[in-house]
Amino acid sequence: MKQLKINVNRVKKHFEELAKINSGRKGYTRCAYSKEEKEAKHWLVDQMNRLDIPVKLDSVQNVISRMGPAKGPAIAFGSHLDTVIEGGLYDGALGVIAGLEMMEILKEQNIQLPVPIELICFTGEEANPLGGTFGSRAMAGLIDYTPEYEKKLNDLGFNWEDILQAKREKSDFLSFLELHIEQGQVLEAHEQSIGIVTSIAGMIRFQVRVIGKASHSGTTPMNMRNDALLKSAGLIQAVHDIAKEYGETIVATVGEFSIFPNMANVVPGEATLLIEVRGSKREQMKEVEEKINEWIHRNLEDTEITPIVEKVPNVMSKSIQDEIEHACIDLGMSYQHMLSGANHDTNSMTHLTETGMIFVPSENGISHHPDEFTSWKEIEDGINVMLQTVYRLSNQYASLPLNQ
């Protein structure tokens, strides 16, 4: 089977150009719906126009570029260009720049794949007021209407009609693939070049409000205090201990924490915690959520629990995993199968088509941080595996009755 190789120097140049679209002081900041995210997406549109490849922005500002026949289901791939505040260079951007480079290689070598391909850059993948993976959830029809949500949409320049228009059909796709940095240390620890993702962990996120009684820190004796912060400390430890019982299949985190009135001379009267449970099996995730809730009811009075979001785990296509594995073997790359603990746009796309994910190593497991780093060799290897996988899949799909 034909082996295509990407131009890593061109990939470097694209990263250098994208790095300049940034409001961060130390890292890279292109928050969802910001002028920087919009500018980055227009940079991508300009690249497609330069290559004379059709490109458009849909109703929620996802960038969609297509090569091959204008009609018929496509192999799609992509990621996002928004970042967390002071984030890293590679998270999300790698998948978009990989897709750009793949299209450019095919264009300059005058290779016409037997099926259409699409590069999709999704809007608002990172946590934001409309919820993470916003663009891909809109495309997959996974956003439910509420008046409160419509108001949030309006505040950011969207409306409910935009959500409806962004939805696409299963018949639009043959498959979807995403190349991403691992954001962990598994590949590095095992000295493997490529991670073949088997499933994306689900997530349950809920808020807990612990109510105590605010009082003067100098005049309230220790035995007469109702300290919401102190009460919350036990809950934080319980979240850790409960998740730890499940070994490596579950993680749970108190990722946000605030107290009120948050003053040096006042015993905290309220504490608000955001708890997140992730895992590859929904049943285990629900068990952990239930155990945390039971602990709260047994040990804390005057506590409010508010569900925020639940995303079920999704399994990647076995046939696509096989094709990624064959591509690794063809290119002489070491690899291993692994779970993705982080959520990605691919998770949304599982509701529309078969999906696959390819990971490349993250040095020291660092991500969402200015020190996020993946070497150019690792990036080159990852894009080459992605390109070879798409090439293999295109020839397989061409032989299906659907495309004859």
Coordinates of all heavy atoms in Angstrom, one line a residue, residues 212-220 222 225-230 259-271:
G212 N -22.5 26.4 56.2 CA -22.1 26.5 57.6 C -22.7 27.8 58.2 O -23.9 28.1 57.9
K213 N -21.9 28.5 59.0 CA -22.4 29.8 59.6 C -21.2 30.7 59.6 O -20.2 30.4 60.3 CB -23.0 29.6 60.9 CG -23.6 30.9 61.5 CD -24.3 30.7 62.8 CE -24.9 32.0 63.3 NZ -25.5 31.8 64.7
A214 N -21.3 31.8 58.9 CA -20.3 32.8 59.0 C -20.3 33.5 60.3 O -21.3 33.9 60.9 CB -20.5 33.9 57.9
S215 N -19.1 33.7 60.9 CA -18.9 34.4 62.2 C -17.5 35.0 62.3 O -16.6 34.6 61.6 CB -19.2 33.4 63.3 OG -18.3 32.3 63.3
H216 N -17.4 35.8 63.3 CA -16.1 36.5 63.4 C -15.0 35.6 63.9 O -15.2 34.8 64.8 CB -16.3 37.6 64.5 CG -15.2 38.6 64.5 ND1 -13.9 38.3 64.9 CD2 -15.2 40.0 64.2 CE1 -13.1 39.4 64.8 NE2 -13.9 40.4 64.3
S217 N -13.9 35.6 63.2 CA -12.8 34.6 63.5 C -12.1 34.9 64.8 O -11.5 33.9 65.3 CB -11.8 34.6 62.3 OG -11.1 35.9 62.3
G218 N -12.2 36.1 65.3 CA -11.5 36.4 66.6 C -12.4 36.1 67.8 O -11.9 35.9 68.9
T219 N -13.7 36.2 67.6 CA -14.6 36.1 68.8 C -15.4 34.8 68.9 O -16.1 34.6 69.8 CB -15.6 37.3 68.7 OG1 -16.4 37.2 67.6 CG2 -14.9 38.6 68.8
T220 N -15.3 33.9 67.8 CA -16.0 32.6 67.8 C -15.1 31.5 68.3 O -14.1 31.2 67.6 CB -16.5 32.3 66.4 OG1 -17.3 33.4 65.9 CG2 -17.5 31.1 66.5
M222 N -13.4 27.9 69.1 CA -13.3 26.8 68.2 C -14.4 25.7 68.3 O -14.9 25.2 67.3 CB -12.0 26.1 68.4 CG -10.8 27.0 68.2 SD -10.7 27.8 66.5 CE -10.4 26.4 65.5
R225 N -17.9 26.8 66.4 CA -17.9 27.2 65.0 C -18.7 26.2 64.2 O -18.7 25.0 64.4 CB -16.5 27.3 64.5 CG -15.7 28.4 65.2 CD -14.3 28.5 64.6 NE -13.6 29.6 65.2 CZ -12.5 30.2 64.6 NH1 -12.1 29.8 63.4 NH2 -11.9 31.2 65.2
N226 N -19.3 26.7 63.1 CA -19.9 25.9 62.0 C -19.2 26.3 60.7 O -19.7 27.0 59.9 CB -21.4 26.1 62.0 CG -22.1 25.2 61.0 OD1 -21.4 24.3 60.4 ND2 -23.4 25.3 60.9
D227 N -18.0 25.7 60.6 CA -17.0 26.2 59.5 C -17.3 25.3 58.2 O -17.0 24.1 58.2 CB -15.6 26.0 60.0 CG -14.6 26.5 59.0 OD1 -14.8 26.6 57.8 OD2 -13.5 26.8 59.5
A228 N -17.8 26.0 57.2 CA -18.1 25.3 56.0 C -16.9 24.8 55.3 O -16.9 23.7 54.6 CB -18.9 26.2 55.0
L229 N -15.8 25.5 55.4 CA -14.5 25.0 54.8 C -14.0 23.8 55.5 O -13.6 22.8 54.8 CB -13.5 26.1 54.9 CG -12.1 25.8 54.4 CD1 -12.1 25.4 52.9 CD2 -11.2 27.0 54.6
L230 N -14.1 23.7 56.8 CA -13.6 22.5 57.5 C -14.5 21.3 57.2 O -14.0 20.2 57.0 CB -13.7 22.8 59.0 CG -13.2 21.7 59.9 CD1 -11.8 21.4 59.7 CD2 -13.5 22.1 61.4
I259 N -15.1 29.7 48.7 CA -15.8 29.9 50.0 C -16.4 31.3 50.0 O -16.0 32.2 49.3 CB -14.8 29.7 51.1 CG1 -13.6 30.6 51.0 CG2 -14.4 28.2 51.2 CD1 -12.7 30.6 52.3
F260 N -17.3 31.4 50.9 CA -18.0 32.7 51.1 C -18.1 33.0 52.6 O -18.4 32.1 53.4 CB -19.4 32.7 50.5 CG -20.2 34.0 50.7 CD1 -20.0 35.0 49.8 CD2 -21.0 34.1 51.8 CE1 -20.7 36.2 50.0 CE2 -21.7 35.3 52.0 CZ -21.6 36.4 51.1
P261 N -17.7 34.2 53.1 CA -17.4 35.4 52.3 C -16.0 35.5 51.8 O -15.6 36.5 51.2 CB -17.8 36.5 53.2 CG -17.5 36.0 54.6 CD -17.9 34.5 54.5
N262 N -15.1 34.6 52.1 CA -13.7 34.6 51.7 C -13.0 35.8 52.2 O -12.3 36.5 51.5 CB -13.7 34.5 50.1 CG -12.3 34.1 49.6 OD1 -11.6 33.4 50.3 ND2 -12.0 34.5 48.4
M263 N -13.1 36.0 53.5 CA -12.4 37.1 54.2 C -11.5 36.5 55.3 O -11.9 35.5 56.0 CB -13.4 38.1 54.7 CG -14.2 38.7 53.7 SD -15.5 39.8 54.3 CE -14.4 41.1 55.1
A264 N -10.4 37.2 55.6 CA -9.4 36.6 56.5 C -10.0 36.6 57.9 O -9.6 35.7 58.7 CB -8.2 37.5 56.5
N265 N -10.9 37.5 58.3 CA -11.4 37.5 59.7 C -12.8 37.0 59.8 O -13.5 37.3 60.8 CB -11.3 39.0 60.2 CG -12.2 39.9 59.4 OD1 -12.6 39.6 58.3 ND2 -12.4 41.1 59.9
V266 N -13.2 36.1 58.9 CA -14.6 35.5 58.9 C -14.5 34.0 58.8 O -13.9 33.5 57.8 CB -15.5 36.1 57.9 CG1 -16.9 35.5 58.0 CG2 -15.6 37.6 58.0
V267 N -15.1 33.3 59.7 CA -15.2 31.8 59.6 C -16.1 31.6 58.3 O -17.2 32.1 58.3 CB -15.8 31.2 60.8 CG1 -16.1 29.7 60.6 CG2 -15.0 31.4 62.0
P268 N -15.7 30.7 57.4 CA -16.5 30.5 56.2 C -17.9 30.0 56.4 O -18.1 29.1 57.2 CB -15.6 29.5 55.4 CG -14.2 29.7 55.9 CD -14.4 30.0 57.3
G269 N -18.8 30.7 55.8 CA -20.2 30.4 56.0 C -20.8 29.4 54.9 O -21.7 28.7 55.1
E270 N -20.1 29.5 53.8 CA -20.5 28.6 52.7 C -19.3 28.1 51.9 O -18.3 28.9 51.8 CB -21.4 29.3 51.7 CG -22.8 29.6 52.2 CD -23.7 30.3 51.1 OE1 -23.3 30.2 49.9 OE2 -24.7 30.8 51.5
A271 N -19.3 26.9 51.4 CA -18.3 26.4 50.5 C -19.0 25.7 49.3 O -19.9 25.0 49.5 CB -17.4 25.4 51.2

